[in-house]
Amino acid sequence: MSSVPRIVQDGRVGQVDATVVPRFAGPATFARLPRIDEVSDVDVAIIGVPFDAGVSYRPGARFGPTHVRESSRLLRPYNPAADVSPFASQQVVDAGDLAVNPFSLDEAITQVEAGARAMLERAGRLVSLGGDHTIALPLLRAVAAKHGPVAVVHFDAHLDTWDTYFGASHTHGTPFRRASEEGLIDTSGCLHVGTRGPLYSSRDLHDDRELGFHVVPSVEIDDLGARGIVERIRDRVGDRPVYLSIDIDVLDPAFAPGTGTPEAGGMTSRELLATLRGFADLNLVGADVVEVAPAYDHAEITGIAAAHTVYEILSALAPRKDS
């Protein structure tokens, strides 16, 4: 392990000690956690996938992993809202970025799947930083190879179950249709949260149901609140293995301007974070946070929201004292 002063609890190597090294100094791993080559055992690996060749509107999500890491410097060891220290009860590391072909969708998808499968041979669970939502398909292939078909809980302004776009079957708008067709997801336990905005036709919703998804649209969130959303999720997924996929555009552009396909009327960051705390009681086996495009961000608003989103995911993954 390097000589950088770090917080070590119960034998787990955590963040650089901010009382010794200021948060704005040193390399920007996620939350200033150790690199994967600095520890022997890994419970959760954070990996970047800097790829955005599947976008249909504004590009730039390839720079998302770096931006989220830079925006995570202020995260601290203890999460009082969840009453857990996510870096003390499990070994979390930053595994760097996957190098994928920026010019070939098919080759990139193959590379992401191979990289995720290799990482899951060492780490118990994987949390991926996108990149555009195309990467969810190869990530689900890797997760399903380990756990079987999973219940997908998908936070997004959009359904992402369209068939093709300009003849392309692999884009950031198609991953969950392909995953359903390939048998990667448990179609009795999937749902979208936070969808909104115009669609091509009502057929989009019909096809989405046929592919195995229920929907908690954004227009219902005011009435449901975070607790109501969590209840809907729990009722739908039960004890199935759960894969969590979060497009940062589920947040209203006021809270996440730095994204490629923004839609008005989204969740607040407080609503999203509160909802994610409900995943501590679920069988969460993996997650991704995608579509952060820093060129459209302001003062790290989107990056900070994404970093805290990952922090709540890690907190949900952390073993509890009574478990």
Side-chain angles (χ1 to χ4, degrees), residues 2-20:
S2 69
S3 59
V4 175
R6 292 189 176 276
I7 300 169
V8 179
Q9 294 178 269
D10 298 327
R12 296 179 180 90
V13 183
Q15 298 171 283
V16 173
D17 190 341
T19 67
V20 180

Side-chain angles (χ1 to χ4, degrees), residues 92 276 286 292:
V92 186
L276 293 177
V292 173

Side-chain angles (χ1 to χ4, degrees), residues 12-15 30-31 33 76-77 85-90 92 311 314:
R12 296 179 180 90
V13 183
Q15 298 171 283
F30 183 83
L33 289 164
R76 297 178 178 88
S85 298
F87 313 132
S89 56
Q90 58 191 348
V92 186
Y311 184 69
L314 296 172

Side-chain angles (χ1 to χ4, degrees), residues 14 59 111 130 156 266:
Q111 291 170 325
D156 200 320

Side-chain angles (χ1 to χ4, degrees), residues 30 36 42-49 69 90-98 111-130 135-144 146-147 150 242-246 283-290 309-310 313-314 317:
F30 183 83
I36 193 169
V42 178
D43 295 312
V44 183
I46 299 167
I47 194 162
V49 188
R69 288 183 175 110
Q90 58 191 348
Q91 183 60 67
V92 186
V93 302
D94 191 321
D97 289 343
L98 294 178
Q111 291 170 325
V112 173
E113 180 184 352
R117 282 177 180 259
M119 189 58 59
L120 284 171
E121 291 180 2
R122 180 171 180 188
R125 286 164 291 191
L126 196 61
V127 177
S128 304
L129 309 176
I135 70 172
L137 176 62
L139 293 172
L140 281 167
R141 287 173 177 170
V143 170
K146 182 174 182 178
H147 297 282
V150 293
V242 175
Y243 185 85
L244 175 59
S245 188
I246 301 177
N283 182 18
L284 186 59
V285 298
D288 62 62
V289 178
V290 299
T309 296
V310 175
I313 293 170
L314 296 172
L317 288 169

